[in-house]
Amino acid sequence: MSGGLLLDCDGVLSDTELDGHLAAFNLAFAELGYGFRWSREVYAELLRVGGGKERLRRYFADHPEIAFAGGADLDAAVLALHRRKSEIYVEIAESGRLPGRPGVKRLVEEALDAGWTVAVASTSAPESVEAVLRTVVGSETRARMAGVFAGDAVEAKKPAPDIYLLALSELGLEPAQTVVIEDSDVGAAAAAAAGLAHLVTVSSFTTEEVFPEASAVVTDLGEPGAPARLLRGGIELEDGLVTLSGLAALRGSRA
């Protein structure tokens, strides 16, 4: 039953956006002397854009009244701001303030024990993803995983399929034998465009999104004594848990 399991990071490994990324952006804005902050509502709209640097550029493009920078200076300022934001985010993640979502460590270890190739594919900066991954699954389990594909590994961020196509190519995985776990419309669209079956676990910013091509949508992956709920689609939950056999049954559903 071996195959491939590719997981998004933010919203899948941990519900990171509100208390992680948004908090880190606002701390970086304050530390570097920028006279604005992002509200939850503003950030929810920016999440439609894949990648932190891309979100910054979109925000400044949409708000020309903010005296930020222009031309080549804009690129340099965005890079410096995002670099500091990422440093703050890693500090938050490593402090333990971003706990893993239910069932993630359990399911990753079940897949590894069964001989599956398991990796993370995300638009976030690699160092941010690694910090969350180590916190959620532990260093020993992280060492067993096939890798992290993240950040600027591809030019076109989600909803483009590029990060998933890169992971498939680098890991030697066939789409029909691979399943993705995502949490957002943007990520689900990327998985769909790559021809991959995908399970969605809704997160704090995505409960109202639609996921038209998802193989199934659940509240989370479930833990013993804390069952997940199936919201839509055809995955069998075992005592309220998303299991490897349930994921295996989804594979190839987009072939």
Side-chain angles (χ1 to χ4, degrees), residues 108-126:
V108 166
E109 292 181 345
E110 183 181 348
L112 290 168
D113 290 345
W116 283 42
T117 299
V118 183
V120 173
S122 170
T123 59
S124 289

Side-chain angles (χ1 to χ4, degrees), residues 7-170:
L7 303 99
D8 179 40
C9 175
D10 299 308
V12 172
L13 301 183
S14 175
D15 208 341
T16 57
E17 296 292 4
L18 183 62
D19 296 323
H21 288 292
L22 178 56
F25 272 118
N26 283 331
L27 286 168
F29 297 154
E31 182 181 303
L32 298 176
Y34 296 109
F36 62 88
R37 67 182 302 280
W38 286 347
S39 67
R40 178 176 180 144
E41 292 72 25
V42 166
Y43 192 62
E45 288 298 315
L46 290 170
L47 285 175
R48 300 176 185 274
V49 179
K53 294 186 291 295
E54 291 76 10
R55 288 171 194 148
L56 286 168
R57 292 191 180 98
R58 170 63 63 83
Y59 182 76
F60 295 126
D62 290 345
H63 293 273
E65 74 278 6
I66 296 176
F68 183 65
D73 290 338
L74 174 61
D75 288 337
V78 164
L79 288 173
L81 179 50
H82 189 262
R83 185 180 306 114
R84 182 56 189 140
K85 174 263 171 183
S86 295
E87 291 170 351
I88 294 170
Y89 177 85
V90 169
E91 293 170 5
I92 292 172
E94 291 181 341
S95 74
R97 283 180 279 168
L98 301 175
R101 292 197 66 195
V104 172
K105 179 177 171 64
R106 171 187 61 76
L107 188 60
V108 166
E109 292 181 345
E110 183 181 348
L112 290 168
D113 290 345
W116 283 42
T117 299
V118 183
V120 173
S122 170
T123 59
S124 289
E127 60 271 19
S128 297
V129 176
E130 289 283 6
V132 173
L133 187 56
R134 288 193 303 272
T135 299
V136 172
V137 304
S139 296
E140 290 185 8
T141 298
R142 165 62 188 98
R144 298 174 62 197
M145 295 174 63
V148 165
F149 301 87
D152 295 328
V154 292
E155 184 174 345
K157 305 292 178 67
K158 298 175 185 179
D162 300 37
I163 196 71
Y164 284 120
L165 296 176
L166 175 66
L168 292 172
S169 175
E170 291 291 320

Side-chain angles (χ1 to χ4, degrees), residues 3-6 116 168 173-180 196-197 250-252:
L5 173 60
L6 302 178
W116 283 42
L168 292 172
L173 293 171
E174 292 294 330
Q177 294 300 309
T178 303
V179 65
V180 166
L196 294 169
L250 298 181
R251 296 181 306 179

